[in-house]
Amino acid sequence: MRDLKGHPELCAINTATLGFTARIDKVIDAVARHGFGGIAPWRREVEGQDIKAIARQIRDAKLKVTGYCRSSFIPATTVEEFRANVAANKKAVADAAILGAESFVMVVGGLAQGSKDLTAARRQVAEATAELLAHGKAHGVKIALEPLHPVYAADRSCLSTIDEALDLCDRLVPDGEDMLGICLDVYHIWWDPALARAIERARGRITGFHVCDWLRVTKDVLNDRGMMGDGVIDIPAIRGMVEKAHYDGLVEVEIFSAADWWTRPIEDTLRVCKERLATVC
Ligand code: ZN
């Protein structure tokens, strides 16, 4: 397993970690100044801005763009709404290409408003992913399916397990070509009793790896994630499995923490991220 100590260039910062409190140009500067090797920006920071200028600044700072976050939710109750969701994602994939992103991260969405039909939601996700994969190929951007913890199945992701994501990859790209992969986030996968087997099955198809921690007492499953080392996840064990499965990309910190880390100065958060990556990841 790679040694992260003294190697922040093997690590990346997902900008959500900094709570969107600073402008993207300031965030790019700060992430580069701390020596990180990559950044994962969000659409809310990029859309409506001069995307080429943002891309240039990131390139000049010698940062990789590990992923562009994230897809609009896909499931819909009408065809028009479904088409609009796919169209929004196609536009975002094109922006990901301008940014030079290694992947477009798909958080697929849960049930459509008012629906109880999880099977229909999953069918729509498969259909949209096939379309976005073709679009990603045309733009040279990988599509990264991120399975989310089942607690989000209703409102954020009907794609809940690594195996489910890999089944979808197998269906859409039976020859295993590499423009479709999966993004693994310790927050979403740590609890899985079949984790080692599932990660082994993902060999060669892992396009991203996110770290944070699961606080034993979690007050809000969306916005109360912990800093690495403050919770119950055995992050080195999971990173070991992921690297054994041939993942050699950056280790990306992604912490949603409205009441804690988002209230701190971004310099402090970046400093602690760097220290924890070196010591507990
Ligand atoms: Zn994530």
Side-chain angles (χ1 to χ4, degrees):
M1 188 157 84
R2 296 174 295 178
D3 188 0
L4 299 182
K5 199 175 176 69
H7 292 289
E9 79 279 4
L10 296 177
C11 306
I13 296 292
N14 184 301
T15 59
T17 306
L18 306 174
F20 306 113
T21 51
R23 280 186 5 219
I24 186 68
D25 55 326
K26 304 273 181 241
V27 171
I28 295 165
D29 266 354
V31 169
R33 199 165 1 90
H34 283 263
F36 292 104
I39 191 167
W42 279 62
R43 284 166 67 187
R44 57 190 283 177
E45 302 168 292
V46 168
E47 289 179 348
Q49 308 289 321
D50 182 343
I51 303 179
K52 285 185 180 151
I54 294 171
R56 203 175 318 117
Q57 191 195 350
I58 293 173
R59 250 193 336 267
D60 290 348
K62 307 251 181 319
L63 292 169
K64 290 180 182 161
V65 177
T66 46
Y68 185 40
C69 295
R70 63 165 169 67
S71 58
S72 305
F73 295 158
I74 290 159
T77 43
T78 65
V79 174
E80 292 73 24
E81 195 193 336
F82 175 75
R83 292 310 320 162
N85 294 346
V86 173
N89 284 322
K90 284 187 171 174
K91 168 77 174 69
V93 167
D95 290 345
I98 296 171
L99 289 169
E102 291 176 354
S103 64
F104 177 61
V105 179
M106 284 188 61
V107 172
V108 299
L111 291 165
Q113 203 63 42
S115 168
K116 295 184 180 181
D117 193 343
L118 208 44
T119 305
R122 290 178 175 140
R123 194 167 48 233
Q124 290 180 336
V125 166
E127 190 184 327
T129 303
E131 213 174 308
L132 290 169
L133 173 60
H135 196 68
K137 279 186 202 167
H139 285 272
V141 175
K142 288 184 186 179
I143 303 298
L145 293 165
E146 182 168 354
L148 260 54
H149 191 289
V151 74
Y152 303 107
D155 61 347
R156 307 188 78 76
S157 178
C158 60
L159 186 74
S160 304
T161 67
I162 298 172
D163 277 309
E164 197 184 354
L166 290 173
D167 286 346
L168 183 52
C169 291
D170 284 346
R171 253 174 63 203
L172 297 180
V173 283
D175 59 354
E177 55 86 357
D178 65 355
M179 293 306 280
L180 180 63
I182 66 170
C183 180
L184 298 182
D185 185 323
V186 296
Y187 200 74
H188 300 305
I189 63 174
W190 70 276
W191 55 272
D192 189 341
L195 186 60
R197 196 169 57 215
I199 292 177
E200 174 56 31
R201 187 185 158 201
R203 178 179 290 262
R205 287 187 287 191
I206 304 170
T207 57
F209 180 54
H210 298 172
V211 295
C212 64
D213 216 333
W214 185 285
L215 300 175
R216 178 173 283 277
V217 178
T218 293
K219 299 189 188 87
D220 171 357
V221 287
L222 184 59
N223 286 325
D224 189 26
R225 295 192 188 191
M227 175 62 67
M228 298 79 74
D230 289 348
V232 299
I233 304 178
D234 188 344
I235 300 170
I238 299 178
R239 184 162 71 86
M241 294 174 202
V242 166
E243 294 194 6
K244 194 162 152 251
H246 294 178
Y247 179 72
D248 62 1
L250 302 188
V251 177
E252 177 179 325
V253 179
E254 184 187 41
I255 303 173
F256 298 82
S257 172
D260 187 354
W261 293 98
W262 289 356
T263 68
R264 308 191 192 198
I266 70 171
E267 293 294 330
D268 291 2
T269 303
L270 289 170
R271 190 174 39 75
V272 178
C273 285
K274 193 157 118 179
E275 184 233 312
R276 300 293 179 88
L277 283 160
T279 53
V280 299
C281 291

